[in-house]
Amino acid sequence: MRSFAVIGSGPAGFYTAEALAKTYGESARVDILDRLPVPYGLIRFGVAPDHQSIKAVAKRYEKVALASGVRFLGNVHLGADVSVEELLHYYDAVVLATGAPNDRRLGIPRDDLPGVIGSAAFVGWYNGHPDFADLQPPLHVSHAAVIGNGNVALDVARILSKTPDEFAGSDIVGHAFQALACSSIRTITLLGRRGPHQIAMTPKELGELGHLEEATPVVDPADLPLEQDDTVLEPGQRKSVAHLREFVAAGPDDRKPKRIVFDFFAKPLAVEGEGHAERLLVERTRLLDDGTAVGTGETYSLEAGLVVSCIGYATPPIPGVPYDERLGRFPNQGGQIGERLYAVGWARRGPTGTIGTNRPDGQEVAEQIAALLPPDGEGSGRSGPDGLDRLLASRGCDPVPFSDWQKIEAAEVAAARAGAPREKLVRVEELLRAGGH
Ligand code: NAP
């Protein structure tokens, strides 16, 4: 018998567990550990609440968790409850699927003023992540700035501009639903340090901005390159830029009270304000031939009582595991970090790609593990889940198995607003109680 520990129960963790279970069949046990009492990581806490079709992939992960030989153990903290070294002692291989939950800092003067919030915190707040339940973003202000031109920036701008009716069918958490319903924000400026051809927004997500009840996108035609130049773009990118051109052609819809303004070639220099964010000092940029942005020296002030930076994420280091500070993730060769130690997903590649990108990632690492530890080979004699269970019990740790998560889920479904799939519990204690702990 072989045994594997996968740390993290987001998409990367589940696809890896699925691949290992498939590769080894009855001859392996796979434990998926998570520090929170609930599974699914980015699916529950990152994917936007109004994108339920993307969240539906959790049904597939549920099948994995319920498969024979696979266990989910929530409420187990790597570091505090068990170390990587200990896991390597009990299991034949350990796979880190810990994602990239930390915000990259803007690194500009006064980026720590109240009102400046990283996307992990802001997205976590509206998605009911226990770490950000008390965030209270300033929504009484009239102007917000969203820094970055990726899909997370789009998510944030869209969520900030939606009406309560537009959240019908979503699982936006109650505290955010109520706070956003009372929001005074009327102008949301999306700052991109480069131009329309360099956006990292995908077409479907960008197109949604053209169909909002109360908000209208605003693009300055002067920022767009000549249309014939779009031919150099790859197809997805070309479709995204086509949406920007549609927004220009349609012009802002004056019947709508909210504006989502694209401010391209705009690099934030500093946050300004008395005790809290009030403005951003921004520098105009131009592009060099290699596509990098450089400041032109022209600066201007942008009103912003809320600043959400959506400029990427980093994987937190783990004691005893090599860490690349510059890349913000674990250094690895095709997923392998060291002997019997692997990384998948954002912890391996950095914070890029779609949910589906994690599937081949997990498959590849499972193949690497199988090449070293053939499924039909002799077992190692490591104690695997039994050893871990004994250790956790000796430390007073109270793991949440999948059956207890199902109790939590039932409680959340029962508490849902009319038309919503669930009302997430947002405190760890509440989650544990609902799970019978
Ligand atoms: P991203 O796609 O890498 O975009 C990050 C943006 O931040 C880029 O526009 C980047 O500009 C900008 N940026 C980085 N550092 C900056 C700085 N110091 N100052 C100003 N701007 C800066 O990352 P993301 O939006 O966090 O998304 C992460 C991944 O999740 C992506 O693969 C994304 O597609 C995916 N995702 C998908 C969905 C969906 O499919 N619905 C939703 C959310 C996220 P430069 O290009 O100039 O570096």
Side-chain angles (χ1 to χ4, degrees):
M1 185 62 79
R2 298 285 185 193
S3 56
F4 304 110
V6 177
I7 317 304
S9 67
F14 265 104
Y15 284 123
T16 305
E18 181 181 57
L20 285 167
K22 200 165 163 210
T23 307
Y24 284 85
E26 293 297 306
S27 65
R29 294 163 77 187
V30 183
D31 278 353
I32 307 167
L33 312 185
D34 202 295
R35 78 177 172 95
L36 289 172
V38 294
Y40 308 141
L42 193 81
I43 298 297
R44 181 175 166 104
F45 297 118
V47 172
D50 56 344
H51 282 171
Q52 287 296 312
S53 58
I54 302 180
K55 287 186 190 261
V57 72
K59 278 281 156 215
R60 177 182 179 140
Y61 305 156
E62 183 180 75
K63 283 201 187 110
V64 176
L66 294 170
S68 92
V70 178
R71 295 194 308 174
F72 165 77
L73 291 181
N75 200 32
V76 178
H77 295 238
L78 189 64
D81 295 322
V82 60
S83 67
V84 169
E85 199 182 359
E86 287 164 336
L87 289 172
L88 283 167
H89 172 72
Y90 294 125
Y91 293 86
D92 291 294
V94 174
V95 183
L96 302 176
T98 46
N102 289 3
D103 278 310
R104 280 187 49 220
R105 281 284 295 270
L106 270 171
I108 59 175
R110 310 200 67 200
D111 66 357
D112 56 351
L113 272 181
V116 182
I117 299 173
S119 52
F122 191 74
V123 171
W125 171 74
Y126 64 62
N127 264 328
H129 193 297
D131 289 356
F132 306 109
D134 298 318
L135 188 72
Q136 297 191 336
L139 302 177
H140 59 284
V141 300
S142 56
H143 288 67
V146 177
I147 301 171
N149 269 181
N151 280 330
V152 172
L154 271 183
D155 280 348
V156 168
R158 190 182 68 254
I159 296 292
L160 278 173
S161 59
K162 277 199 163 180
T163 63
D165 282 352
E166 288 174 291
F167 286 118
S170 82
D171 66 351
I172 187 163
V173 71
H175 63 224
F177 179 71
Q178 281 156 19
L180 288 164
C182 304
S183 166
S184 306
I185 293 173
R186 292 294 173 269
T187 304
I188 300 152
T189 304
L190 275 165
L191 286 110
R193 60 182 172 183
R194 300 193 290 157
H197 272 192
Q198 287 75 35
I199 55 173
M201 299 164 169
T202 44
K204 184 172 161 289
E205 284 66 26
L206 184 52
E208 284 178 67
L209 295 195
H211 305 283
L212 295 170
E213 265 178 32
E214 285 197 343
T216 182
V218 182
V219 176
D220 182 346
D223 285 337
L224 285 165
L226 292 174
E227 196 161 350
Q228 69 225 39
D229 294 348
D230 293 357
T231 50
V232 300
L233 300 173
E234 54 89 18
Q237 188 83 342
R238 207 179 311 150
K239 279 191 200 153
S240 291
V241 174
H243 280 304
L244 295 176
R245 295 193 187 282
E246 282 160 25
F247 298 159
V248 168
D253 184 340
D254 291 332
R255 291 164 304 178
K256 298 185 178 177
K258 300 177 191 167
R259 297 264 177 286
I260 300 176
V261 181
F262 286 81
D263 192 1
F264 291 112
F265 307 107
K267 178 174 117 178
L269 289 183
V271 186
E272 298 176 335
E274 292 300 317
H276 57 89
E278 292 178 66
R279 292 171 305 281
L280 269 180
L281 179 65
V282 185
E283 182 178 20
R284 230 356 119 225
T285 64
R286 65 182 175 83
L287 289 190
L288 300 178
D289 286 345
D290 67 359
T292 52
V294 287
T296 60
E298 177 196 343
T299 61
Y300 56 98
S301 187
L302 183 77
E303 185 176 347
L306 169 67
V307 177
V308 186
S309 66
C310 307
I311 60 165
Y313 302 104
T315 297
I318 295 175
V321 179
Y323 186 76
D324 187 325
E325 285 287 345
R326 194 180 56 84
L327 296 175
R329 59 172 171 77
F330 306 117
N332 66 85
Q333 294 285 338
Q336 184 161 22
I337 303 174
E339 200 185 335
R340 300 187 293 113
L341 182 63
Y342 299 82
V344 288
W346 284 6
R348 167 189 173 176
R349 293 179 277 110
T352 58
T354 63
I355 305 295
T357 315
N358 294 297
R359 199 166 160 236
D361 216 36
Q363 183 68 39
E364 191 187 334
V365 161
E367 280 166 16
Q368 283 195 47
I369 293 173
L372 285 174
L373 308 168
D376 52 1
E378 292 249 319
S380 61
R382 291 180 196 277
S383 57
D386 301 334
L388 179 70
D389 289 353
R390 279 194 296 274
L391 181 85
L392 293 179
S394 75
R395 289 183 178 164
C397 177
D398 183 21
V400 173
F402 201 76
S403 53
D404 288 349
W405 149 246
Q406 289 175 309
K407 292 181 202 158
I408 299 171
E409 191 177 31
E412 291 187 340
V413 171
R417 283 186 304 275
R422 67 188 65 77
E423 180 59 53
K424 287 178 196 164
L425 298 169
V426 296
R427 309 269 167 200
V428 168
E429 315 83 66
E430 287 174 339
L431 289 162
L432 289 172
R433 215 175 307 125
H437 289 248

